[in-house]
């Protein structure tokens, strides 16, 4: 009888313990443990992350409520030896199993990579690596290797043409080589058969179109005038007339604070000096927007060869098909500019 009682007690205790353990295991696996009663939050796991450093990060940054249960399940699932770097979106009130499955599978949240308004190749690295793990140095190393080995005609002068300004989605741990290849792939998609045929009809390569588009873009802030400006420069190219584009002189000088080009700038000895050297410069003077490239490919057909800023300071230009007409336009602008400068001096003296 006594043995029977002991056995019953043992079974009872065992059942209670088993039930408690089962309940704990269930909670460990399925109960909310991440960002409990908080909001969704991104978790960054670096390439050199260890399981210990990840545990510290989850605890210190208040991602996890019960670190012990997460750690125990992580080791059961061998995640402690299979950490995958990246940018992960942790949803509020997530369970350990849900998070671990995502982390083990490397199901990252993509990063939006947006860039525009870049003038020089040297500016690319900082802009493109701003929100990813890749360092500017790592990117520059990969880009240099591509420039030295590619067979697509890209070099130091025109490589900026390969970067079509837009928003792209990439993963946080993308390598330098992968990022450069992704940008080249996007370039190839952009330069589809239709755009390539339009470039061919102009007698230009896609790289030359990008160079001309960069000049068009630098000449005016008015999008609706871009195709007309493009037509003017195409007329000059096709007639063997030097482009004489002031923005190329600014680029050649290296002083981008210049507001007004003077005769002294026209003496700069640089292949980017389109007053001194006919044809297109060796590469873009900025990263042209898509609308600037398309403005060249869909240029306005006219007989204009000259342009001058309008005297109403609207940002638009007056166009002319001959030099005498251009001189008259320039004279009107200079007269109005002199008047405005005189008004400004009078206001300052008062």
């Amino acid at each position: 009888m006594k043995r029977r009682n002991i056995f019953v007690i043992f079974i009872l205790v065992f059942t209670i313990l088993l039930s408690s353990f089962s309940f704990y295991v269930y909670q460990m696996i399925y109960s909310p443990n991440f960002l409990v009663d908080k909001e969704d939050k991104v978790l960054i796991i670096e390439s050199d992350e260890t399981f210990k450093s990840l545990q510290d990060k989850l605890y210190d940054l208040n991602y996890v409520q019960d670190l012990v249960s997460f750690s125990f399940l992580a080791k059961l699932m061998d995640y402690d030896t299979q950490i995958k770097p990246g940018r992960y979106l942790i949803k509020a009130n997530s369970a350990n199993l849900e998070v671990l499955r995502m982390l083990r599978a490397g199901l990252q949240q993509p990063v939006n990579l947006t860039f525009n308004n870049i003038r020089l190749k040297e500016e690319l690295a900082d802009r493109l690596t701003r929100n990813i793990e890749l360092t500017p140095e790592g990117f520059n190393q990969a880009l240099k290797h591509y420039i030295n080995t590619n067979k697509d005609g890209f070099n130091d002068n025109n490589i900026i043409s390969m970067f079509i300004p837009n928003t792209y989605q990439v993963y946080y741990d993308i390598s330098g080589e992968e990022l450069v290849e992704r940008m080249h792939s996007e370039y190839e998609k952009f330069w589809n058969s239709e755009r390539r045929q339009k470039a061919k009809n102009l007698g230009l390569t896609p790289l030359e179109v990008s160079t001309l588009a960069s000049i068009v873009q630098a000449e005016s802030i008015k999008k609706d005038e871009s195709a007309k400006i493009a037509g003017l420069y195409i007329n000059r190219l096709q007639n063997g007339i030097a482009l004489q584009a002031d923005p190329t002189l600014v680029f050649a000088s290296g002083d981008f604070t210049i507001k007004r080009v003077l005769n002294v700038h026209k003496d700069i000895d640089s292949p980017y000096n389109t007053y001194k050297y006919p044809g297109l410069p060796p590469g873009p003077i900025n990263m042209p927007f898509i609308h600037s490239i398309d403005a060249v490919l869909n240029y306005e057909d006219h007989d204009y060869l000259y342009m001058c800023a309008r005297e109403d300071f609207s940002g638009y230009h007056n166009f002319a098909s001959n030099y005498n007409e251009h001189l008259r336009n320039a004279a009107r602008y200079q007269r109005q500019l002199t008047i405005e400068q005189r008004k400004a001096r009078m206001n300052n003296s008062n």
Side-chain angles (χ1 to χ4, degrees), residues 308-311 313 329-338:
C308 175
R310 283 188 190 174
E311 62 275 14
F313 305 105
N329 290 337
R332 285 203 304 273
Y333 175 76
Q334 288 297 334
R335 278 197 303 272
Q336 193 60 40
L337 180 62
T338 300

Side-chain angles (χ1 to χ4, degrees), residues 107-301:
L107 301 178
Q108 298 185 49
Q109 181 79 2
V111 177
N112 284 333
L113 188 65
T114 302
F115 54 88
N116 51 41
N117 292 322
I118 296 177
R119 181 182 284 115
L120 301 171
K121 171 176 71 74
E122 290 72 21
E123 299 173 12
L124 283 170
D126 284 334
R127 295 289 293 278
L128 268 67
T129 63
R130 191 169 292 173
N131 296 313
I132 57 178
E133 186 179 32
L134 180 66
T135 64
E137 293 76 19
F139 172 81
N140 282 331
Q141 184 177 0
L143 186 62
K144 181 179 180 180
H145 177 75
Y146 177 79
I147 291 172
N148 291 336
T149 59
N150 84 92
K151 298 179 180 179
D152 301 305
F154 291 106
N155 55 43
D156 281 316
N157 293 321
N158 63 29
I159 188 61
I160 201 169
S161 301
M162 193 177 80
F163 296 83
I164 306 298
N166 211 330
T167 297
Y168 305 95
Q169 288 196 326
V170 300
Y171 288 121
Y172 177 77
D173 60 334
I174 189 170
S175 69
E177 292 75 15
E178 289 170 337
L179 181 55
V180 171
E181 180 52 40
R182 171 67 185 282
M183 292 298 99
H184 178 253
S185 174
E186 295 294 342
Y187 174 86
E188 291 295 326
K189 289 179 186 176
F190 174 80
W191 280 102
N192 54 31
S193 57
E194 181 181 358
R195 284 193 173 100
R196 287 183 182 275
Q197 185 58 51
K198 287 181 178 181
K200 187 177 181 180
N201 294 342
L202 285 172
L204 300 174
T205 67
L207 290 173
E208 290 171 330
V209 170
S210 292
T211 297
L212 182 54
S214 72
I215 296 173
V216 170
Q217 181 167 293
E219 283 285 15
S220 178
I221 59 173
K222 304 295 185 181
K223 288 185 181 180
D224 56 343
E225 199 178 52
S226 297
K228 183 178 289 187
I229 296 174
L232 183 153
Y233 283 125
I234 288 170
N235 287 342
R236 282 181 162 263
L237 285 173
Q238 293 179 345
N239 286 279
I241 304 172
L243 296 183
Q244 296 186 340
D246 288 357
T248 65
L249 296 185
V250 175
F251 187 87
S253 74
D255 181 2
F256 301 113
T257 64
I258 294 174
K259 300 297 182 184
R260 189 174 180 185
V261 171
L262 305 173
N263 286 331
V264 65
H265 298 123
K266 298 175 184 178
D267 294 328
I268 297 174
D269 188 16
S270 166
Y272 288 90
N273 184 342
T274 56
Y275 278 82
K276 186 182 286 286
Y277 297 99
L280 290 167
I285 59 174
N286 56 53
M287 179 187 289
F289 288 103
I290 290 174
H291 74 77
S292 297
I293 296 173
D294 284 340
V296 172
L297 296 176
N298 302 284
Y299 70 97
E300 187 175 314
D301 189 11

Side-chain angles (χ1 to χ4, degrees), residues 1-24:
M1 189 68 162
K2 185 176 182 181
R3 285 184 179 180
R4 184 179 177 185
N5 289 340
I6 293 174
F7 180 74
V8 170
I9 293 172
F10 173 79
I11 293 298
L12 183 61
V13 171
F14 177 78
T15 302
I16 294 172
L17 290 175
L18 182 61
S19 298
S20 299
F21 179 75
S22 299
F23 179 70
Y24 177 73

